[in-house]
Amino acid sequence: ASLTELFQKVCALKGIEQDKVRIWDYFNKRKYAQLSVSNKTLEESNLQMDQDILLELVDGHQSSKIGMDSTGNDLALVSLEPSRSPLTIAGGPTLSNGHSGYRSNLYPGSSLGSGLTDMDDGFDACNSARKGEKGGLAGLQNLGNTCFMNSALQCLVHTPPLVEYFLKDCRAEINTDNPLGMHGELALAFGDLLRKLWSSGRTAIAPRVFKGKLARFAPQFSGYNQHDSQELLAFLLDGLHEDLNRVKQKPYIEMKDSDGRPDEEVAAECWKNHKARNDSVIVDVCQGQYKSTLVCPVCSKISITFDPFMYLSLPLPSTITRTMTVTVFYGDGSRLPMPFTVSVLKNGFCKDLLLALGTACGLKSDESLMLAEVYENKIYRYLEMPLEPLASIKDDEHIVAFRFQKKEIGKTRLVIFHRWQEK
């Protein structure tokens, strides 16, 4: 929806003319910005779901009071239906009736006007960190479903070298002429947000201006829906690097072949060439290089290069052990069966399970264990081969062990179990 539709909706609710009202973006109960009648969308104005709107009724040069309640506020629910897009007013979740809930405060502006200044992102100097209080404890407010952005931002604003860099005056290194960057605006917006987070004590900050800059330069992150956090982090690192690139004119450099030179020499040369074109705090903190080796299948020539990287995709570590629960039965029936849970190697063998099980149950030197698989209350098979791999035993299989004296080895084993008599 557009700001014009918002004006029409609010004025229709109160039955007043548009030229007699002023509408303010009343974010965090402060006059953030005055909204004018235009075709600009609510999303472009950085208005979010359930945000307060302040309505001033102006009669000549005086503000008049209209239908206030005991708290001085007149609340109205303004539902605006999107005209051309399935998105809601601010890109947030849609209510069950297909309309977006938008809350407006109708308030006489004269009682507040002079006492408030246009504050940015809900940050107030009065909320600055107290003496002796540790910084960096501030949170980020969710603007819809922007937890993906907040988590990535919190990682960056708590990286010590970046904190030290942006808390200083870094405007001298802003590269406004880099065609690959964002004219320095992304770096400036990120620096402002970082300084507010580190000086606001414990007061949560709403990253509205930064979100607006992000949506301008990366439309894929516009709106207030969920996105991929790693994708955002990659864009931020690339964008900050180009905005802060100390190299104004990138030279042309022809890469040389390794020609059997030592790795240290080739690596230093590749990094020097990379730094000649890319030099920023992001390169200093977040970039490295990895070695690539190519072997020609025809002439067997070996080519070694060192390529820069900023982030790596790594597999989740797989565990090399597994836990198994085995019920130990006493061969002579002298004691009750007892389950034991042991940890063994995934690629181990039955002898490893027997060794771990013997330690767990306190097996004596003159005793032995025999493994078996039980299925439907019957012994399905004996696991008598010491080198049988444990991979052949599935996690849902019921494994038991019989504990008996070694001198009984060789005797006939008779297993007795109870069951219902079949007809």
Side-chain angles (χ1 to χ4, degrees), residues 257-263 266 270 289-297 300-307:
D257 202 355
S258 57
D259 287 333
R261 291 180 294 165
D263 283 352
V266 179
C270 290
Q289 56 185 5
Y290 56 83
K291 177 182 176 181
S292 297
T293 303
L294 294 177
V295 181
C296 179
S300 299
K301 180 182 177 180
I302 300 177
S303 175
I304 297 176
T305 59
F306 288 83
D307 304 312

Side-chain angles (χ1 to χ4, degrees), residues 52 64 142 147-148 210 241 342 412:
D52 291 327
S64 304
N142 254 1
C147 49
F148 77 97
F210 183 83
H241 159 64
V342 294
T412 301

